[in-house]
Amino acid sequence: MSIQPQSALAKHIKKKFDIGASQAKEIVTFMHGCREWNELSSDDHKKTYSIYSMCCLPTKAETEELIGKITPFLSPIRRLSAPEIHIQGSLVDKVNNQKFNQIPLSTLHYLLGTTFKAKRVTALSVFQDLEFLDDSFGKVLAQRKSRFGTISAQKPIKVWLENSIYGHRLYSSFHFDGNSLDVCCSEWDLEFFRPSSSGSMNPKQISVCGKSWFPVYMFGYLKSLIVQFVAAGFSGNVRICRVQNNHAQAFYRKNSFGRNPGTDQLFQSLIDCGGQYEWDGDDKELNFGITLPFDKLLTSPPSKIKEGV
């Protein structure tokens, strides 16, 4: 089996998150349910490839199939787009700029297998699915307008952001006040694990939190989201409450349970960058976290981001 898509993804992750080549390869290896890089081309891996390949970028043939389906709708999709919602990097933006090779494979499969298999396919139906499948801040802005009828609504909105290319999944509440934005991330997980030698996929046994790249990879993805917030014209703060089911409150209290060395390193990095412990109202268990202004996070030097042990 060719591992060209996986190699391309590893190079992309290395560049985007400024981590080592071997670390990027290990991340991609785990994404595909393997323990070692060379397993990606083995016959045994072919049996599970269809399950884990959703993390990958599409091949040229898959991209060309999507282009053939979506090309007739490109002009009306552009007319439906709004730059203040469909920001740079959003799925609609990628389609408008014909960056089809940047569309996650899981998204591509949904479009080909569901969107374009419907009995009646219109530009509006394709456009709505693009908004639904988006994994960027643009999804939050689109849902804000859809739910409240305006892009300037001040009501909070809770959204799952699921990035299949990098394996991140976050549940956050977004509180808007003019150009000010406060984000409270109550759940943040990686959607891949390190397979055990027995082939077990029990996440408690094979968490990647102990890998040296874990804090850097997590911090890098958080920073990429903040870049989107700022590019959309917002300033504000982000609060991280729970990572891989490990609570910031447990880290603060130095509990002997509910903690992991990798998430401890991430929480400490947030504190070192200027983060403060905060919570709202009486629900301390749910929203206690480490709050960090956007600008401090973006200007933090790499030395502040600690690698795991």
Side-chain angles (χ1 to χ4, degrees):
M1 180 193 302
S2 170
I3 61 172
Q4 184 177 356
Q6 291 91 335
S7 296
L9 180 57
K11 291 178 181 178
H12 172 73
I13 287 174
K14 174 183 180 296
K15 181 179 180 180
K16 184 173 181 67
F17 298 108
D18 193 24
I19 61 177
S22 61
Q23 293 176 322
K25 283 187 173 181
E26 186 171 59
I27 290 170
V28 174
T29 298
F30 293 166
M31 282 180 175
H32 290 78
C34 295
R35 289 174 55 83
E36 304 293 341
W37 178 257
N38 58 13
E39 293 177 26
L40 290 170
S41 59
S42 70
D43 290 337
D44 288 341
H45 181 53
K46 292 179 182 179
K47 299 175 183 178
T48 58
Y49 179 74
S50 61
I51 299 175
Y52 297 102
S53 63
M54 296 300 98
C55 299
C56 246
L57 294 168
T59 63
K60 182 178 180 181
E62 290 165 329
T63 300
E64 289 176 348
E65 183 180 358
L66 176 63
I67 292 173
K69 296 286 187 181
I70 205 169
T71 295
F73 303 99
L74 289 180
S75 292
I77 286 174
R78 290 192 183 96
R79 290 194 292 270
L80 290 166
S81 304
E84 67 274 16
I85 295 176
H86 308 108
I87 59 175
Q88 183 178 0
S90 68
L91 189 54
V92 171
D93 173 72
K94 290 176 181 177
V95 169
N96 285 340
N97 289 285
Q98 300 187 43
K99 296 181 179 179
F100 299 109
N101 62 329
Q102 296 182 12
I103 295 177
L105 190 56
S106 57
T107 300
L108 182 146
H109 282 188
Y110 184 95
L111 291 170
L112 293 178
T114 302
T115 303
F116 291 109
K117 288 288 181 67
K119 291 183 178 179
R120 184 168 182 266
V121 181
T122 66
L124 181 59
S125 68
V126 175
F127 179 78
Q128 290 173 336
D129 277 356
L130 291 175
E131 287 192 326
F132 171 73
L133 295 166
D134 195 8
D135 57 20
S136 75
F137 182 50
K139 180 175 184 175
V140 179
L141 299 174
Q143 290 198 15
R144 184 187 183 199
K145 181 180 180 181
S146 175
R147 294 183 190 181
F148 307 124
T150 173
I151 60 172
S152 59
Q154 304 301 307
K155 298 179 181 179
I157 182 171
K158 297 181 178 181
V159 178
W160 279 102
L161 289 180
E162 302 175 78
N163 189 299
S164 60
I165 289 182
Y166 308 126
H168 288 264
R169 188 170 186 262
L170 301 89
Y171 183 69
S172 304
S173 57
F174 295 81
H175 301 259
F176 294 90
D177 185 5
N179 290 329
S180 178
L181 172 65
D182 287 319
V183 183
C184 181
C185 179
S186 56
E187 187 170 346
W188 181 10
D189 300 303
L190 285 180
E191 292 296 283
F192 58 90
F193 311 102
R194 179 182 182 273
S196 69
S197 57
S198 63
S200 168
M201 289 302 291
N202 184 335
K204 291 185 178 180
Q205 296 177 1
I206 50 182
S207 170
V208 296
C209 294
K211 304 303 295 186
S212 63
W213 46 259
F214 175 81
V216 180
Y217 187 59
M218 300 295 280
F219 198 98
Y221 182 71
L222 177 62
K223 190 172 182 178
S224 71
L225 285 178
I226 302 303
V227 168
Q228 293 180 25
F229 304 158
V230 173
F234 294 96
S235 60
N237 306 282
V238 60
R239 183 187 307 168
I240 305 300
C241 302
R242 184 170 63 174
V243 179
Q244 296 286 84
N245 210 31
N246 294 298
H247 294 255
Q249 189 176 41
F251 173 74
Y252 168 72
R253 291 178 172 175
K254 307 302 180 186
N255 291 350
S256 59
F257 59 90
R259 294 173 60 192
N260 182 284
T263 52
D264 278 4
Q265 290 281 3
L266 177 61
F267 290 142
Q268 187 60 54
S269 293
L270 294 174
I271 293 294
D272 292 345
C273 291
Q276 301 289 329
Y277 295 109
E278 287 186 356
W279 68 91
D280 296 324
D282 298 325
D283 201 353
K284 188 174 181 179
E285 293 295 328
L286 180 63
N287 61 39
F288 181 100
I290 300 172
T291 299
L292 192 67
F294 295 168
D295 56 350
K296 283 191 176 181
L297 192 147
L298 292 179
T299 57
S300 297
S303 60
K304 294 287 186 180
I305 318 305
K306 293 179 169 59
E307 285 196 350
V309 294

